[in-house]
Amino acid sequence: MKRFVGFIKKEFYHILRDYRSLLILIGMPVVQILIFGFAISNDIKDAKIAILDNSKDEITQKLTQKILSSGYFILEKNISGTGDIENSFKQGKVKQVIIFENDFGKKLKKEGRASVQIISDASDPNTANILVNYTNAIISSFQMEMMKSQVIPFQIIPEVKLFYNPEMKSVFMFIPGTITLLLMLVSAMMTSISIAREKELGTMEVLLVSPLKPIQIIAGKVVPYILLSFINAVTILLLGYFVFNMPFNGSLTLLLSECLLFLIVALSLGIFISTFANNQLTAMIASMLGLMLPTILLSGFIFPIENMPGWLQVICNITPAKWFLIIIKSIMLKGIGLKYIIKENLVLIGMIMFFIAMSVKKFKVRLE
Amino acid sequence: MLYALSPVQIIEVKNLFKKFGSFTANDDLTFDVKQGEIFGFLGANGAGKTTAIKILCGLSKPTSGEVKVAGFDVYTQTENIKKNIGYMSQKFSLYEDLTVTENIRFYAGIYGISRKEIKERTNILVEKLHLESVKDTLIKSLPLGWKQKLAFSVAIFHEPKIVFLDEPTSGVDPITRRQFWEMIYEAANNDMTVFVTTHYLDEAEYCNRVSIMVDGRIDALDSPKNLKEKYNAENMNEVFLKLARK
């Protein structure tokens, strides 16, 4: 035990003396959460639009008013001919053009139908999609208002309620996502790098020749990073709670235990990487490509898994981050208890056992 | 160079084979090393030296054969072997971002030496190596020669029965190499067995006995003097070339 304590002490010397890495380790979560929280947002406000009103009657005026007063749009300019549409887009300011057809009001009253064309700049498909949806919603609500004055035989009024994130804030997505990403990166990347460093410097040989058992060496390398990653997780949770008002509906103990479980998954992955990476660079690249990209792209953090093709969904299933993201969102937003996330927990535990078994196997092969 | 062969065999190897698939890295090695001896383990790169050293250090198991190190069996008693050996590689294996005393404390600590003893002996060692002025300096700012001496002292700090030196003098200037060999002699005089591999064939002359490996086999094993006579050579370099070209 005394040997082990000495080992951990040495490990902390490494971490504390490499103050640049330490700064990144501690600073990265703070910077990342602030960037994700404030800068990256799917909620669009004040999108610039242009309007081509060929009718210029009372109804088009009212509808234009309604669109502009929604808060989502700002009128950049009124244009007078179809030739201006492309120019407006090309200048890059205008995101959407709304075109009312000739005699819009008259047709609406006489024939009961009139058309409005929405042209969106889809060079940024997400924004285009969102703006079109906003416009559609405003137009249908305008329609409803107009119908109030008439007697209609029946009416279906959908009442929409958004559970767990009523304002649909994207920051509620990013905080769980960022915790996942950081726990993965710090734990897996840093452990794999620090084990690879011992190999590169030749100190690993000396440790293996010493009476320390391999399990003690690995545990000694891992324990300091468990501590650091845990501090990171708590920092992000605090930031989420105090800066972004992220709700904590579930049990804090459960949440922290799940963080610890995911940490161990990440660490076992880091150990696995270090069994084949013989230098720090390989370890870093393997962790970056092998862990960071799947964690961002395939975990449901940014892109919804349901929309992916079937074969990709299978790959998502072997991404540990996917399961942890489900767990952490369920606990924080839905406030549910352990019994609803048993499957996800079992998957993570299975992954730990798999990576440890693989590492031990590789380790033995190397020795023989 | 006179020395009396000690009767105690500290390393005994009989018919050692180590195979990786169809490749035979160690092909029927049989040799022994006596206590207090400086044993040179020579061979070209890829001749199987490293594989053999790994087996002797308990890091790897032989495919077949009998191997005993410090009286313990490499198949079953690696724990005991590890307690009784020291190891130093050409990379010196000190932590660059730790100070001189921290390195000593760490390595001594993993061998289970008590804190009090570490403290006392660290002071003696630092004084002996004339490192008083840099004992709290990080290793990375020390010159190579100092690192090498320190690495050796750290490797034998727990007073092992045998110390394995894997090309300990690579990339070091001739004067430092000379000083390093003085340290090796001192350790051998204190009855420590020194098992050393080297690229420098002039260093082979400093050993009590030398074995030369070619393609996984030991082709020659004797004192440098006898080897030179047998192969009718001026120096160990010629002996080596004659064997390698055979």
Side-chain angles (χ1 to χ4, degrees), chain A residues 149 175 199 210 289 296 314 316 343 352 362 364:
Chain A
S149 48
I175 287 173
K199 286 200 205 167
S210 81
L289 292 181
I296 295 178
V314 174
C316 292
K343 182 180 134 202
I352 296 175
K362 269 219 86 170
K364 281 200 177 135

Side-chain angles (χ1 to χ4, degrees), chain A residues 14 17 198 205 367-368, chain B residues 20 60 82 87 95 97 102:
Chain A
H14 292 321
R17 285 188 185 157
E198 300 254 6
E205 285 173 21
L367 287 187
E368 270 159 20
Chain B
F20 298 97
S60 172
K82 286 176 174 182
Y87 176 83
Y95 291 98
D97 53 349
E102 282 163 356

Side-chain angles (χ1 to χ4, degrees), chain B:
Chain B
M1 213 169 291
L2 285 170
Y3 79 108
L5 271 183
S6 155
V8 182
Q9 301 191 343
I10 197 96
I11 299 176
E12 294 167 78
V13 179
K14 269 189 208 129
N15 308 110
L16 162 64
F17 282 89
K18 177 71 183 180
K19 290 178 181 162
F20 298 97
S22 62
F23 173 68
T24 307
N26 289 162
D27 189 356
D28 201 7
L29 303 187
T30 299
F31 64 95
D32 49 50
V33 180
K34 309 209 164 34
Q35 190 175 330
E37 184 176 33
I38 301 175
F39 188 86
F41 202 57
L42 273 58
N45 284 335
K49 285 178 300 179
T50 310
T51 311
I53 288 196
K54 276 192 174 159
I55 292 172
L56 295 177
C57 291
L59 287 184
S60 172
K61 298 259 188 291
T63 310
S64 66
E66 261 176 64
V67 182
K68 273 191 173 175
V69 177
F72 299 107
D73 187 81
V74 292
Y75 292 94
T76 52
Q77 296 171 299
T78 49
E79 292 292 309
N80 292 320
I81 291 177
K82 286 176 174 182
K83 279 180 199 150
N84 285 294
I85 60 171
Y87 176 83
M88 174 190 169
S89 77
Q90 54 178 320
K91 292 175 178 169
F92 300 165
S93 323
L94 296 167
Y95 291 98
E96 298 271 304
D97 53 349
L98 261 54
T99 66
V100 172
T101 43
E102 282 163 356
N103 265 293
I104 300 174
R105 208 186 308 148
F106 171 70
Y107 279 120
I110 59 177
Y111 281 92
I113 302 173
S114 77
R115 203 169 295 172
K116 195 173 146 230
E117 195 186 337
I118 293 176
K119 210 171 172 184
E120 287 168 9
R121 288 181 44 208
T122 300
N123 288 334
I124 298 171
L125 178 63
V126 166
E127 213 168 290
K128 191 180 131 200
L129 296 177
H130 306 293
L131 294 172
E132 293 100 327
S133 57
V134 292
K135 71 183 168 66
D136 294 318
T137 308
L138 298 185
I139 295 294
K140 62 178 157 211
S141 43
L142 294 187
L144 201 61
W146 296 17
K147 283 188 206 173
Q148 184 202 33
K149 281 182 215 162
L150 181 62
F152 181 68
S153 307
V154 165
I156 60 170
F157 195 85
H158 59 288
E159 297 170 330
K161 289 194 178 134
I162 311 161
V163 61
F164 290 91
L165 306 174
D166 194 3
E167 292 173 17
T169 49
S170 289
V172 178
D173 66 79
I175 296 168
T176 316
R177 265 168 60 196
R178 182 71 229 184
Q179 290 172 345
F180 187 71
W181 274 90
E182 279 164 19
M183 291 183 80
I184 292 180
Y185 274 114
E186 196 197 320
N189 280 338
N190 292 331
D191 229 15
M192 196 178 287
T193 309
V194 180
F195 190 101
V196 57
T197 74
T198 180
H199 271 320
Y200 299 106
L201 287 160
D202 56 320
E203 286 185 349
E205 315 256 1
Y206 305 151
C207 300
N208 299 132
R209 282 192 307 151
V210 167
S211 80
I212 298 177
M213 271 186 94
V214 180
D215 296 334
R217 282 169 285 105
I218 291 182
D219 274 12
L221 199 173
D222 211 331
S223 68
K225 185 168 163 277
N226 291 349
L227 282 176
K228 279 184 283 187
E229 272 170 19
K230 184 176 170 197
Y231 289 92
N232 193 20
E234 285 277 312
N235 51 36
M236 283 306 291
N237 205 15
E238 266 179 50
V239 174
F240 189 78
L241 287 176
K242 280 184 176 165
L243 274 168
R245 280 179 190 157
K246 207 167 54 173

Side-chain angles (χ1 to χ4, degrees), chain A residues 27 69 117-118 133 136 139 162 213 263 289 297 302 336:
Chain A
S69 61
Q117 193 177 17
I118 304 165
N133 286 339
N136 267 332
I139 293 174
L162 295 163
K213 294 187 180 68
L263 261 178
L289 292 181
L297 301 177
I302 295 186
I336 59 180

